Amino acid sequence: MPADGHSSDQRQKDFAERFAACEAAVCGCRPIVERAYRELVGRGRPDRHALEAATVVLRWHHPELAMPEAEQIVERWVAGNILH
Amino acid sequence: MSPDDALPSRLERACAERGLKMTGQRRIIARVLSESADHPDVEEVYRRASAIDSGISLATVYRSMRLFEEIGIIQRHDFGDGRARYEEARGDHHHHLIDIESGEVVEFQDGELEEAVARIARELGFDMIGQRLEIFGRRTKRKGTEPA
C-alpha cells in the first residue's frame, strides 16, 4: 500500500468519479470552460495557450482537480476544435 | 528570382527580429503569408508555397505555421467553418481578461502596461521577444452600470 494509504486502483476510481461529474456537467462548468477556450482561439490565441487558460477556469470551479486531471478533461471537451 | 534574392517580406523581417533561423522553405512560407490578402488555411498556404517550391511538404508548412503562431507573428482565426485560417498578426498587441463565471473573453490594450513590461525585461537584461498576459476574474458589476 502506498504511503498516502490509497491504492492506484482507488485513485483511478476517484478520478473516474470526478471526471464523470464534470462530463455530465452537473455543476454547469463545461459550457463556461468551452466558451473560454473557443473565444480565445477565435481571437487568435494558439491552442496550447487557450487550453491552459480554459484549464485555469475549470480548476476555479473544481479546485479538487489536480492540474493533469483538469488538463485531460479540458482537452477531451474541446478535442473537436483542436487543429492537428 | 530565388527566394534568397528577393527583398525580405514583413514576416521574414519579423522572424529575423525574433531571432528565428530562416531556412529557404520557411522563407517561402513566410512570403506566401505576407503576400496573402485573404485568410488562407494551412492547405491553401501549402498549395501556394508548393507552387513556388515543389519540395515543400505539408508537414513543413504545418510546423512552420505553428512556429510563426507561437512567436506571435501570425494570427489564427476561427470563422466558424471548421478550418483554422491565418493572417499576419496585427501590429497592436492585445491581452485577454477571462470571466471565470461565464467564460467570456474580453480583449484589451494598455500602452502603460506594454511600456512597463518592456521596461521590466530591459532592466532584467533581456530583449523582449514576446509576452502573454491573461487576467482571470469575476464581474463586480453588470455591464453598463456605474458603481454606487
Side-chain angles (χ1 to χ4, degrees):
Chain A
M1 181 76 77
D4 65 2
H6 291 88
S7 69
S8 70
D9 283 353
Q10 182 59 44
R11 270 198 294 271
Q12 282 287 18
K13 185 167 171 287
D14 291 346
F15 173 60
E17 279 169 7
R18 287 201 295 271
F19 190 82
C22 290
E23 284 278 276
V26 171
C27 69
C29 68
R30 181 171 181 167
I32 297 168
V33 171
E34 288 177 334
R35 180 180 178 186
Y37 172 84
R38 196 174 54 244
E39 291 201 10
L40 284 166
V41 169
R43 285 171 164 78
R45 301 305 302 160
D47 272 335
R48 179 44 52 190
H49 295 182
L51 275 170
E52 287 168 4
T55 303
V56 172
V57 174
L58 174 61
R59 290 192 78 218
W60 185 79
H61 290 270
H62 291 280
E64 77 278 11
L65 287 174
M67 197 63 182
E69 293 171 341
E71 275 177 354
Q72 246 183 298
I73 292 167
V74 174
E75 280 177 16
R76 185 149 160 169
W77 284 351
V78 303
N81 297 313
I82 296 177
L83 178 75
H84 290 289
Chain B
M1 185 166 59
S2 81
D4 291 333
D5 298 332
L7 286 172
S9 64
R10 285 188 307 269
L11 273 182
E12 285 177 76
R13 288 198 299 273
C15 289
E17 282 163 14
R18 286 162 175 77
L20 191 67
K21 185 167 179 270
M22 292 302 278
T23 62
Q25 294 193 338
R26 206 175 270 172
R27 192 165 282 135
I28 289 170
I29 295 162
R31 178 148 304 166
V32 164
L33 285 162
S34 254
E35 290 171 357
S36 297
D38 53 353
H39 297 92
D41 61 11
V42 176
E43 282 79 9
E44 183 55 34
V45 173
Y46 166 65
R47 269 191 292 278
R48 294 176 193 176
S50 58
I52 301 168
D53 178 350
S54 59
I56 291 180
S57 69
L58 184 58
T60 300
V61 176
Y62 265 105
R63 274 197 302 272
S64 301
M65 290 180 65
R66 273 197 186 279
L67 190 61
F68 294 161
E69 191 187 349
E70 288 293 337
I71 64 172
I73 61 170
I74 61 171
Q75 200 166 17
R76 173 138 51 112
H77 295 281
D78 179 359
F79 295 138
D81 60 358
R83 304 179 82 84
R85 296 173 184 276
Y86 295 84
E87 69 172 345
E88 219 175 316
R90 296 171 294 185
D92 49 356
H93 191 78
H94 289 79
H95 299 289
H96 298 105
L97 189 150
I98 299 150
D99 183 339
I100 49 172
E101 289 182 334
S102 70
E104 180 187 7
V105 175
V106 179
E107 215 169 49
F108 68 93
Q109 281 180 286
D110 188 307
E112 286 180 17
L113 176 66
E114 302 299 325
E115 284 170 21
V117 170
R119 177 180 49 77
I120 290 167
R122 207 170 41 245
E123 287 175 0
L124 291 171
F126 283 82
D127 272 337
M128 189 173 72
I129 58 166
Q131 51 149 311
R132 170 183 168 198
L133 174 67
E134 281 149 3
I135 299 175
F136 296 86
R138 306 160 68 178
R139 280 193 190 281
T140 53
K141 60 183 169 70
R142 291 181 181 209
K143 277 188 217 177
T145 59
E146 294 302 319

